[in-house]
């Protein structure tokens, strides 16, 4: 049972790590895009289009900051308490591994 809990915790943390990595990549791509839009805005003359781009930049930069904060301050997550249904596949895997292990065949 302890091994199933450890496997559940590990799987949960790997999933969150992959999500954090995805958020980091998303923030990086968005930062590049925001920079390109900002550079484009410098060539525009005052008017409706420039006003809309400035409003968009305000929104996009705020959203980008949220992503950056999430991606650059990772924490080691504690998984929720697993249910019996969460542990069942892990316990089944362990039972199968124990039956097929060469060590389980060796009996004095």
């Amino acid at each position: 049972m302890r091994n199933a809990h450890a496997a559940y915790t590990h799987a949960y943390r790997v999933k969150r790590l992959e999500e954090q990595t995805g958020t980091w990549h998303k923030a990086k791509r968005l930062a590049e895009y925001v920079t390109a839009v900002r550079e484009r805005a410098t060539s525009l003359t005052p008017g409706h289009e420039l006003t809309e781009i400035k409003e968009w930049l305000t929104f996009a930069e705020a959203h980008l900051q949220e992503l950056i904060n999430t991606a650059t301050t990772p924490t080691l997550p504690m998984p929720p308490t697993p249910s019996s249904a969460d542990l069942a596949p892990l316990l089944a895997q362990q039972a199968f591994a124990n039956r097929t292990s060469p060590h389980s065949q060796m009996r004095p």
Side-chain angles (χ1 to χ4, degrees), residues 37 40-41 44 49-58:
V37 171
R40 162 102 167 81
L44 296 174
E49 184 181 12
L50 180 59
T51 300
E52 284 187 0
I53 288 177
K54 285 183 176 181
E55 289 174 6
W56 181 90
L57 282 168
T58 299

Side-chain angles (χ1 to χ4, degrees), residues 30-83:
L30 182 57
E32 291 172 1
Y33 183 58
V34 168
T35 298
V37 171
R38 190 180 306 111
E39 288 172 2
R40 162 102 167 81
T42 61
S43 67
L44 296 174
T45 58
H48 182 70
E49 184 181 12
L50 180 59
T51 300
E52 284 187 0
I53 288 177
K54 285 183 176 181
E55 289 174 6
W56 181 90
L57 282 168
T58 299
F59 163 77
E61 288 169 343
H63 179 65
L64 177 59
Q65 191 57 51
E66 289 175 24
L67 288 175
I68 289 170
N69 290 343
T70 300
T72 58
T73 54
T75 59
L76 186 61
M78 290 305 298
T81 302
S83 67

